[in-house]
Each structure stands twice: as structure tokens, then as C-alpha cells.
Amino acid sequence: MNEELPKTKRQPKPRHGSTPSYVTGFVLSLIFTLIPYYLVTHESLKGHVLIAVILTFAFAQLLIQVLFFLHLGRERGPRFNTVFLAATFSAVCVVVGGSVWIMYHLQKNMPDMAMSQKLIDDESISQVSGVKTGGCDGTNVNHHVFIKNGVAFPYVVVAHLCDSLTFTNDDNTVRYIAFGSHPHHELYAGNMGQTLYSGRSWTITLSQAGKIKFHDHNHPQTTGIFVVNP
């Protein structure tokens, strides 16, 4: 009679990690947290590159949590946890990706402070709910600059805050009034510049103090200055 040999039971793979694996996972998690924090606080990277790096480290963090702490992939039989993780990861990618896309387009389409200042000046919004916006409550004295024969007259205009300044093109040519020294353009109170056809005028509110240069971008020799005192 043959004696049946006892069947050796197959030892299941351990589902819990060892102390060294936990320590390794903790150290890696700490490193992958500090690196993005350093990049953001020290402005080492900017724009899309920074976002890509942060997302890369976030994905690495996910892998560390899965491998060193959750031990997914070590279970026997149907890998329900792994399938659940894949579905969760896909949902997170959709939510995070959609959020980044929405925030990017909101930031891109929102008016900056300069354009907001122009809107405030155009609408004469001096305060909102009792809080001053920096805009003028109407305008005071109107100053005039006439452009004739390629010369801006007067060359220097001295004004005060909340005065207005009107440019008039008395030449038979199209002019583009811009601020700053040619070829560099600057914003003034949210105004980028204005095309002036023959006989047309353009008025701006002087809501920012300082010494500002202007020129005709189409004819750079036509220049002038207006000084806005507080």
C-alpha cells in the first residue's frame, strides 16, 4: 500500500511589507513632496513646465503609495483591488486634468490689472461697496495734443490725476499712438494704444501719475511727453 505523501501547501505571498520597505516608501514620499515644493516656492520653473513636473511627481507619489504601503498586486486570485485602483486613477486623471484645463483658460481669459484699470476709468468706477478702486470719479481738466505735419503740439503736457488727455490727428495719414519709446510699447492705465485716422481724436483718463512718453508707431519721429502729477 502506497503511502500518500503529504501535500505541501503553497505559501501565499506576504501581503504586508517589512520595516525597511515602509521606511523606504516614507523617505521617497518625503523627497517627492519636497522637490515640487522647492520648485514652486523658489520659482525655479514656470508655466507649463512647472505643471508637468508637479504632475509627474504626483504620479510618482501614487506609485509609491501603491507599492510600499497598499501592497496592491500581492493579493491572490482576482485582482479586484488593482482593478479598483486603475478605475480610481482614471477618474482622478479626468478630474485633475479638467481642473487644470479650466484654471488655465480662466487665467488666460481674465483681464489683467491693467485692463481692469482701463475698464474702471472708462466706466468712472471710483469705488465699489465703499472701497476705492483707484479710478477717477469723472474727469477734471481736458488737455489736448494736436499732431500736424508729423509734430505733436504741445510736446510736453503737464496735468494732474483725473484730468483727461485728447490726441487729435490733423494730418492726412494714419497714425498709431503708443506709449513708451519706439519700438518698445508700454501700457498706460490699461491702454495699449490707438489707431487714429485723419481728423479723428482719442481721449484717455490720466489715472496714473508719472512721466509718460508717447510716439506714433507708424512714424517714430513723432513723439511727445505728458506728465501727470498727483
Side-chain angles (χ1 to χ4, degrees):
M1 184 175 179
N2 296 331
E3 295 183 357
E4 294 182 0
L5 296 176
K7 295 181 179 181
T8 58
K9 293 183 178 180
R10 185 179 178 181
Q11 297 295 328
K13 295 172 67 175
R15 299 184 62 184
H16 299 285
S18 60
T19 300
S21 68
Y22 285 126
V23 172
T24 302
F26 173 75
V27 173
L28 290 176
S29 297
L30 192 61
I31 292 174
F32 286 0
T33 300
L34 293 178
I35 291 177
Y37 176 80
Y38 176 86
L39 294 177
V40 173
T41 55
H42 288 75
E43 298 183 354
S44 302
L45 299 174
K46 294 182 179 180
H48 296 88
V49 176
L50 178 60
I51 294 176
V53 171
I54 292 176
L55 292 178
T56 300
F57 277 101
F59 180 73
Q61 282 276 23
L62 176 64
L63 293 180
I64 290 173
Q65 301 298 322
V66 167
L67 297 177
F68 290 93
F69 298 104
L70 299 180
H71 312 293
L72 293 186
R74 297 186 182 183
E75 68 271 18
R76 299 181 62 185
R79 301 180 181 274
F80 294 113
N81 288 340
T82 303
V83 174
F84 178 76
L85 173 67
T88 303
F89 177 73
S90 301
V92 170
C93 287
V94 172
V95 172
V96 173
S99 299
V100 172
W101 183 84
I102 290 173
M103 290 186 292
Y104 169 77
H105 283 277
L106 283 176
Q107 191 275 335
K108 184 178 181 179
N109 294 312
M110 285 181 62
D112 56 18
M113 291 302 296
M115 297 307 296
S116 298
Q117 183 64 49
K118 183 179 184 303
L119 178 62
I120 288 171
D121 292 337
D122 292 343
E123 300 296 331
S124 297
I125 304 173
S126 60
Q127 59 181 2
V128 176
S129 299
V131 179
K132 292 187 177 298
T133 62
C136 297
D137 185 11
T139 57
N140 299 324
V141 180
N142 176 256
H143 303 269
H144 222 122
V145 172
F146 298 92
I147 300 176
K148 182 70 173 177
N149 298 325
V151 177
F153 179 81
Y155 177 76
V156 178
V157 174
V158 179
H160 291 84
L161 281 174
C162 293
D163 287 353
S164 61
L165 177 61
T166 299
F167 299 91
T168 299
N169 180 14
D170 284 336
D171 279 337
N172 293 322
T173 183
V174 178
R175 300 192 176 276
Y176 182 82
I177 304 301
F179 303 106
S181 300
H182 185 77
H184 305 291
H185 292 186
E186 301 174 357
L187 287 175
Y188 177 76
N191 294 286
M192 300 181 61
Q194 180 70 31
T195 298
L196 285 183
Y197 295 94
S198 178
R200 297 296 182 89
S201 298
W202 177 44
T203 300
I204 62 173
T205 300
L206 304 179
S207 60
Q208 293 182 8
K211 181 179 179 181
I212 299 89
K213 296 180 180 179
F214 66 89
H215 65 276
D216 177 6
H217 179 73
N218 298 331
H219 307 85
Q221 69 275 11
T222 303
T223 61
I225 298 173
F226 58 95
V227 180
V228 182
N229 296 316

